[in-house]
Amino acid sequence: MAQSFRRADGARPLISGHRGHCTAAPENTLAALRATVEAGGTAAEIDAVLSADGEIVILHDLLVDRTTDGTGAAADMTLSALKRLDAGSWFGPGFAGERIPTLAETLDFAHAHDFMIEVEIKEKRNLPTMAAALARALADPHDRSRVMLLSFDHAWLGWLKDRLPDVATAGIVPVRHPDPLAVAQSARLDQLSIDLDVFDPDQARILREVGLSLRCHAYNPPRIAAMDRAGLDPRAQLAAYLREGLIDTLSGDDVEWVRHLVDDALGSAAG
């Protein structure tokens, strides 16, 4: 396996699609993962909830209403019922019939494409059952080596670490903390996933020096353009962070945009 969540000196960061390449294909589908690879991505952040029969499915919302032709809570539907839903037509007619994937199907894709998977846990109703399902789904060490588990719920990630100590975990950080190292250590996190708005290079240097990996989420091009108009110059900031080696994973909705930014900052992969 060539990819890693920890960027080695001189290596390129992971280029991650947020919910896959979700500007080109319906989010959290295998089509979005294929689009990520085609756009030059090497990882994807996906979202996970449980079906009524305890299967891990890739879905951002607790309800299926927004991204399928169904209605209701995923937790009240069996896997077979969820698999009958159309998860692509809402995005465009060319994606009609796209299905909600399982975590197992996503892992198969990752192995086939030397691809890394960041699984954000969106489950709310039954976290102990989610932990047991993750233990089953990630029983193979080869699967665990490709997966980073993300959550806003750092307390649950710490609880999970007691049960799955060799599965990497990342706490999502949408706000700036005075001591992010303490935040990471309190839940024994392997990574902090920090929004671009609150990514602090001084803090990042400290975090990487002690062995934490860092993921920076760079939003989508329209939001970056709005930041430009406000005088924030986010692309220059990101380029500087990349050249200094402060970012292990750079994610965004538009994978092609992220790849071009990395290429501009570090040179193309071929070069």
Short mmCIF file of all heavy atoms in Angstrom, two decimals, residues 42 60 234 256:
data_model
loop_
_atom_site.label_atom_id
_atom_site.label_comp_id
_atom_site.label_asym_id
_atom_site.label_seq_id
_atom_site.Cartn_x
_atom_site.Cartn_y
_atom_site.Cartn_z
N THR A 42 -6.79 10.71 -4.01
CA THR A 42 -6.20 9.51 -3.42
C THR A 42 -6.93 9.08 -2.15
O THR A 42 -6.53 8.11 -1.50
CB THR A 42 -4.71 9.73 -3.10
OG1 THR A 42 -4.57 10.96 -2.36
CG2 THR A 42 -3.89 9.82 -4.38
N HIS A 60 -24.94 10.65 4.46
CA HIS A 60 -24.62 11.79 5.32
C HIS A 60 -25.71 12.07 6.34
O HIS A 60 -25.42 12.30 7.52
CB HIS A 60 -24.39 13.04 4.48
CG HIS A 60 -24.04 14.26 5.28
ND1 HIS A 60 -25.01 15.08 5.84
CD2 HIS A 60 -22.84 14.78 5.64
CE1 HIS A 60 -24.41 16.06 6.51
NE2 HIS A 60 -23.09 15.89 6.40
N PRO A 234 -7.04 32.49 0.75
CA PRO A 234 -6.90 31.12 1.26
C PRO A 234 -5.98 30.25 0.43
O PRO A 234 -5.30 29.37 0.98
CB PRO A 234 -8.34 30.59 1.23
CG PRO A 234 -9.01 31.41 0.18
CD PRO A 234 -8.41 32.78 0.29
N GLU A 256 -10.82 17.99 -8.33
CA GLU A 256 -9.94 18.53 -9.36
C GLU A 256 -9.33 19.85 -8.91
O GLU A 256 -8.14 20.11 -9.13
CB GLU A 256 -10.71 18.70 -10.67
CG GLU A 256 -9.82 19.03 -11.85
CD GLU A 256 -10.55 18.99 -13.17
OE1 GLU A 256 -11.77 18.70 -13.18
OE2 GLU A 256 -9.90 19.21 -14.20
#
